[in-house]
Amino acid sequence: MREEVKRLDAEYGFNLSEEEIELIAEQAEAAHRLFQPLYEVDLTGVMPIMKVDKKVKK
């Protein structure tokens, strides 16, 4: 994760310090661990309960 943060820092010119890069990488890893179980849920055959209509009603 640290390398991804460093790549984004260079690409967008954030000029982050090494401490900031480490902190962001740690937070991203914690978020990844937190949300990982959601990616493992099999939604095959599950119908959405809501539809988003992009048309603006007049």
Side-chain angles (χ1 to χ4, degrees):
M1 193 63 69
R2 192 172 196 289
E3 291 307 312
E4 287 89 350
V5 175
K6 288 180 89 169
R7 182 183 55 79
L8 290 170
D9 179 44
E11 185 174 333
Y12 290 98
F14 294 136
N15 299 318
L16 297 172
S17 69
E18 287 299 317
E19 293 81 21
E20 291 170 321
I21 290 171
E22 189 63 35
L23 178 62
I24 293 168
E26 288 173 9
Q27 291 171 345
E29 288 170 0
H32 179 74
R33 285 190 303 273
L34 177 67
F35 293 113
Q36 185 60 36
L38 292 177
Y39 293 109
E40 297 170 5
V41 175
D42 182 10
L43 297 175
T44 304
V46 176
M47 293 294 295
I49 60 171
M50 185 175 98
K51 177 184 173 190
V52 176
D53 190 0
K54 293 182 182 180
K55 293 181 182 178
V56 177
K57 294 182 180 182
K58 295 181 182 182

